[in-house]
Amino acid sequence: MALRIVLVRHGLSSFNAERRIQGRDDLSTLTPEGHDQARRAGEALRAVAFSAAYASPLRRASHTAASLLQAHGQGLEAIHDDDLVEIDLSPWSGVTREELGQRFPDGERLWREAPHTLTLQHADGRHYQPLPELMQQADRFLTGLLQRHGAAIDAEPQPSGLQAAAADASVLVVAHNAILRCLVLRLLQLDASDFRRLRIDNGSISVLNLSPNLSPSPGGANPGGPELSADPAVQLESLNGTAHLGEPLPKKGSGPRLLLVRHGETDWNRQGRFQGQIDIPLNAHGLAQAEAAGGFLGPISIQRAYSSGLSRPRQTAEAILASHPGVPLTTCSGLVEIGHGLWEGQLEPEIQAGWPELLADWKRAPQTVQMPEGETLQQVWDRSLAAWARIVASLGPDETALVVAHDAVNKTILCGLLGLKPADIWAIKQGNGGVTVIDYPHGAQELPMVAALNLTPHLGGVLDRTAAGAL
């Protein structure tokens, strides 16, 4: 059993449209476009039966929740929770982005570059730090949420620690940009300093799964508050999905962009057989997934493409590039899947029979495992992130590159970009044919931003229904 948390940011507000700072003041209203975004999100989520819905009481969020739930059709009403209100930027409330830089240049720079260090002053003279306080607020909300819905997380571990269980309960949370980012950071046990690594757009949908914990909390000890009640294992299934709003990907700004895709399904994925570096081609369903990814990314301008040299990612990349004639495909040895050694070609019960303790460690603490005659996660981490860094460094500021690789490789890359560690790979989901978007808005040498993660609408909907499978 597991608990699914679906996060939706409110639709476009009047202050969003005017590029004004709104924070937790309730001065802006939901625009007609914002209501339409909410309706589209509700329609996209109709396949999900919610146990409860929670929303910020601020109008732009509460009205989004009302429009979303009406379109969803389940008859739920959102429960307003004050711990979902937006970050407190009251000294800047109503100021346009342009005016902010002119009137508060030092504060604006800190908000862009190191928001966790920003200190503001209330009208009564009291100083405060908006982002650390918001992280504490996120912790309070999540603690209360788990007290109310934690029973959905079964105390018994699942047969395989490699995937979150199918959710038996789902809750909807409708709130704001900064508080939603803090909820994700808090669940992943990341710090406020990682705030700029995530992007959440108006009307977007993000999904997290909470299940019985077989391993230490992602990111290690929590620097911003107490451990979560029941200490569940957390999996980020998807982040910032916007395809239901009419655009496949979040809009690209300045700086290079990379599209990270996991290869389509193989027969061994479907069977749950460990394939590692054995060269297994796509099956018919995997080819269809690759073609669907190609259709999904067809409108996107791509200048370069890179792939592992194994057949399954190369076939996937070629199917995507069919809509982008003239883009060369370069293979990278650093993107090859983890070497499972003697586990390759075996099903989990066969590995259980031969290496029971090692398999248990792989599920519980994967960073400690030396595969028999294979690799460690640290070795995969080192080579995959080095290959990624070379690709990023080669891109021009306006270029977009396609990168197609494997489950463990994609997860190690994403853990590195998010500020996680090799121990945390089970906290990231990468479905066959799923698309992840990484931006470098301030240049290739600066902090990356995960603009979207594991998008699968081209494969059947908001939720990732691809095969669980082995690596």
Side-chain angles (χ1 to χ4, degrees), residues 108 257 349 404 464:
E108 189 273 342
R257 165 171 281 191
V404 185
D464 183 352

Side-chain angles (χ1 to χ4, degrees), residues 188 297 421:
L188 294 176
L297 296 175
K421 300 174 182 177

Side-chain angles (χ1 to χ4, degrees), residues 252-408:
K252 183 182 181 300
S254 60
R257 165 171 281 191
L258 292 91
L259 309 175
L260 180 63
V261 180
R262 184 186 175 193
H263 65 77
E265 183 187 275
T266 70
D267 285 339
W268 282 19
N269 285 142
R270 181 156 293 278
Q271 295 165 13
R273 195 178 296 275
F274 283 67
Q275 47 195 356
Q277 296 180 359
I278 295 180
D279 199 6
I280 307 301
L282 300 181
N283 60 20
H285 186 55
L287 288 168
Q289 289 174 327
E291 291 172 359
F296 183 65
L297 296 175
I300 307 302
S301 177
I302 297 174
Q303 285 73 44
R304 304 192 190 200
Y306 302 85
S307 168
S308 156
L310 296 180
S311 297
R312 51 195 187 269
R314 191 180 68 249
Q315 288 176 294
T316 302
E318 289 169 350
I320 294 171
L321 292 177
S323 302
H324 299 84
V327 176
L329 178 61
T330 302
T331 58
C332 301
S333 60
L335 297 177
V336 172
E337 182 59 301
I338 184 172
H340 280 301
L342 298 179
W343 288 10
E344 292 183 356
Q346 301 214 28
L347 298 169
E348 185 172 322
E350 296 170 330
I351 297 171
Q352 174 66 34
W355 298 271
E357 292 183 3
L358 200 61
L359 181 61
D361 288 343
W362 177 239
K363 297 176 183 181
R364 183 175 53 246
Q367 78 283 3
T368 67
V369 172
Q370 167 69 63
M371 294 290 175
E373 299 184 20
E375 289 185 293
T376 65
L377 268 182
Q378 188 63 55
Q379 290 172 313
V380 179
W381 179 282
D382 292 343
R383 64 173 169 82
S384 63
L385 282 169
W388 180 267
R390 288 192 295 271
I391 293 170
V392 173
S394 72
L395 297 178
D398 298 321
E399 287 191 310
T400 296
L402 171 71
V403 180
V404 185
H406 307 262
D407 191 31

Side-chain angles (χ1 to χ4, degrees), residues 94-441:
V95 175
T96 66
R97 299 281 181 176
E98 292 73 19
E99 292 170 341
L100 184 65
Q102 296 167 3
R103 293 173 53 186
F104 308 97
D106 293 339
E108 189 273 342
R109 178 184 56 79
L110 279 179
W111 180 242
R112 281 188 293 106
E113 298 177 1
H116 59 292
T117 68
L118 175 68
T119 298
L120 295 178
Q121 186 175 10
H122 284 299
D124 62 5
R126 180 172 51 90
H127 290 83
Y128 70 105
Q129 290 189 293
L131 193 52
E133 289 187 8
L134 193 67
M135 289 290 282
Q136 295 173 2
Q137 177 184 312
D139 185 72
R140 289 195 304 271
F141 175 77
L142 290 170
T143 298
L145 187 75
L146 286 175
Q147 288 172 349
R148 292 186 291 271
H149 300 282
I153 304 172
D154 196 305
E156 293 298 320
Q158 299 300 314
S160 171
L162 306 188
Q163 300 287 342
D168 290 303
S170 299
V171 297
L172 172 70
V173 177
V174 181
H176 311 266
N177 183 7
I179 182 61
L180 291 179
R181 281 197 258 180
C182 287
L183 291 176
V184 176
L185 292 174
R186 182 64 190 89
L187 285 165
L188 294 176
Q189 298 292 299
L190 289 168
D191 188 69
S193 61
D194 297 307
F195 182 77
R196 290 294 180 195
R197 295 180 189 267
L198 304 175
R199 175 173 168 178
I200 296 184
D201 289 12
N202 291 113
S204 66
I205 298 173
S206 304
V207 181
L208 296 103
N209 300 309
L210 278 60
S211 60
N213 198 353
L214 299 178
S215 60
S217 298
N222 171 35
E227 290 299 319
L228 284 175
S229 173
D231 194 24
V234 176
Q235 180 197 62
L236 181 58
E237 177 175 318
S238 64
L239 180 77
N240 202 34
T242 58
H244 58 287
L245 304 178
E247 294 289 338
L249 305 180
K251 291 182 179 179
K252 183 182 181 300
S254 60
R257 165 171 281 191
L258 292 91
L259 309 175
L260 180 63
V261 180
R262 184 186 175 193
H263 65 77
E265 183 187 275
T266 70
D267 285 339
W268 282 19
N269 285 142
R270 181 156 293 278
Q271 295 165 13
R273 195 178 296 275
F274 283 67
Q275 47 195 356
Q277 296 180 359
I278 295 180
D279 199 6
I280 307 301
L282 300 181
N283 60 20
H285 186 55
L287 288 168
Q289 289 174 327
E291 291 172 359
F296 183 65
L297 296 175
I300 307 302
S301 177
I302 297 174
Q303 285 73 44
R304 304 192 190 200
Y306 302 85
S307 168
S308 156
L310 296 180
S311 297
R312 51 195 187 269
R314 191 180 68 249
Q315 288 176 294
T316 302
E318 289 169 350
I320 294 171
L321 292 177
S323 302
H324 299 84
V327 176
L329 178 61
T330 302
T331 58
C332 301
S333 60
L335 297 177
V336 172
E337 182 59 301
I338 184 172
H340 280 301
L342 298 179
W343 288 10
E344 292 183 356
Q346 301 214 28
L347 298 169
E348 185 172 322
E350 296 170 330
I351 297 171
Q352 174 66 34
W355 298 271
E357 292 183 3
L358 200 61
L359 181 61
D361 288 343
W362 177 239
K363 297 176 183 181
R364 183 175 53 246
Q367 78 283 3
T368 67
V369 172
Q370 167 69 63
M371 294 290 175
E373 299 184 20
E375 289 185 293
T376 65
L377 268 182
Q378 188 63 55
Q379 290 172 313
V380 179
W381 179 282
D382 292 343
R383 64 173 169 82
S384 63
L385 282 169
W388 180 267
R390 288 192 295 271
I391 293 170
V392 173
S394 72
L395 297 178
D398 298 321
E399 287 191 310
T400 296
L402 171 71
V403 180
V404 185
H406 307 262
D407 191 31
V409 168
N410 287 15
K411 287 175 176 176
T412 55
I413 289 171
L414 288 167
C415 282
L417 300 181
L418 286 168
L420 294 168
K421 300 174 182 177
D424 305 321
I425 64 165
W426 305 139
I428 304 297
K429 190 168 187 184
Q430 288 288 278
N432 292 117
V435 176
T436 294
V437 183
I438 310 296
D439 287 337
Y440 287 81

